[in-house]
Amino acid sequence: MGRALRVLVALSASCLVLGQVMTAEAATPLNWVNKTAPPVAGPLVGDGHGNLFTFGEDASGPDLTTYEYSPKTNKWTQRATDLDYAPSAVWGVFSWESATLTHDGRIIVFGGVDQNNVDLTSVAAYNLAHNTWRALAPLPQARYGAAAVTGPQGKIYAIGGDFGGDSGGNGEVTLRSVEAYSPTKNSWQELAPLNDPRYFAAAAVGSNGLIYVFGGCQQGPYNAGDCSDADTAEVLNPSSAQNTWQLLPVMPTYYATCALDGTC
């Protein structure tokens, strides 16, 4: 006891905020310090050693560029670029990819949507040690805004997301579908669907090995802005033969994640 836990939170494209959460034994309350903002509005993933990585469009074409943040220097450094992540994108305009750190030290990035509302099936792995990209088996279901998490046995889970619609977002469908990627087989498997459709949800693996998904947004019938935040949460036991999601008690507050530019 008595040790501080450091938390990094991205609030907007204009600032990155570093907080120090003190234990109950400490008298000092939560402290926030502004840090250098990410250069792109992409997913944020920690490397397990204190550094952060984010990924975003390259203005010169359909490329996905890597940026690494060092808390020691408070600087972002550009790393390798995936030269063909979003071939349908014009001038590299795409967003809302999902990402998660694997057990073997790679970051898997998947999905997204381009400027014409074409949803992506793209999947690629960034190797932190070698600063290289490798294309992987595509998603069976194109999606953006999916929750991403690495399960206890190393599989990558694409949970929910949004799909379809025209360039204005009309006719979009919020997904209940869940797919799991096996790094050893380089293939995807469809799993039991969520009870509630959701995108921009949060997901995590508990110390008990269960996979949890929280909140998110449920698309309305009219357009991309017609969205209601969810107060539900669900849990999956990835080791159970039942392969079903169980609803948890309703959360006291509605939550949905947003892009770093504030859109959600």
Side-chain angles (χ1 to χ4, degrees), residues 69-117:
Y69 175 78
S70 169
K72 294 181 179 179
T73 62
N74 189 30
K75 292 182 179 179
W76 290 90
T77 302
Q78 184 172 330
R79 299 302 187 193
T81 295
D82 183 344
L83 297 177
D84 195 27
Y85 181 81
S88 65
V90 178
W91 303 115
V93 181
F94 60 95
S95 58
W96 291 331
E97 319 89 70
S98 305
T100 183
L101 180 69
T102 67
H103 291 173
D104 61 4
R106 297 179 298 163
I107 296 177
I108 306 296
V109 182
F110 62 82
V113 61
D114 72 11
Q115 77 289 344
N116 291 319
N117 212 41

Side-chain angles (χ1 to χ4, degrees), residues 82-203:
D82 183 344
L83 297 177
D84 195 27
Y85 181 81
S88 65
V90 178
W91 303 115
V93 181
F94 60 95
S95 58
W96 291 331
E97 319 89 70
S98 305
T100 183
L101 180 69
T102 67
H103 291 173
D104 61 4
R106 297 179 298 163
I107 296 177
I108 306 296
V109 182
F110 62 82
V113 61
D114 72 11
Q115 77 289 344
N116 291 319
N117 212 41
V118 175
D119 303 296
L120 305 177
T121 60
S122 305
V123 183
Y126 175 70
N127 188 309
L128 282 73
H130 297 96
N131 189 34
T132 56
W133 282 96
R134 178 191 173 196
L136 302 178
L139 287 162
Q141 168 67 63
R143 64 185 75 214
Y144 76 85
V149 72
T150 301
Q153 298 177 342
K155 289 185 177 181
I156 308 302
Y157 292 79
I159 304 171
D162 213 49
F163 170 78
D166 59 22
S167 59
N170 300 295
E172 291 186 6
V173 176
T174 306
L175 299 173
R176 296 173 60 229
S177 66
V178 179
E179 295 167 337
Y181 172 78
S182 169
T184 57
K185 298 179 181 179
N186 189 31
S187 63
W188 290 86
Q189 173 189 7
E190 185 174 358
L191 301 180
L194 296 164
N195 290 282
D196 294 332
R198 63 185 80 225
Y199 69 115
F200 295 147

Side-chain angles (χ1 to χ4, degrees), residues 20-44:
Q20 182 168 312
V21 181
M22 310 303 293
T23 65
E25 296 178 2
T28 305
L30 183 66
N31 235 349
W32 295 101
V33 179
N34 286 329
K35 295 295 182 179
T36 304
V40 293
L44 283 168

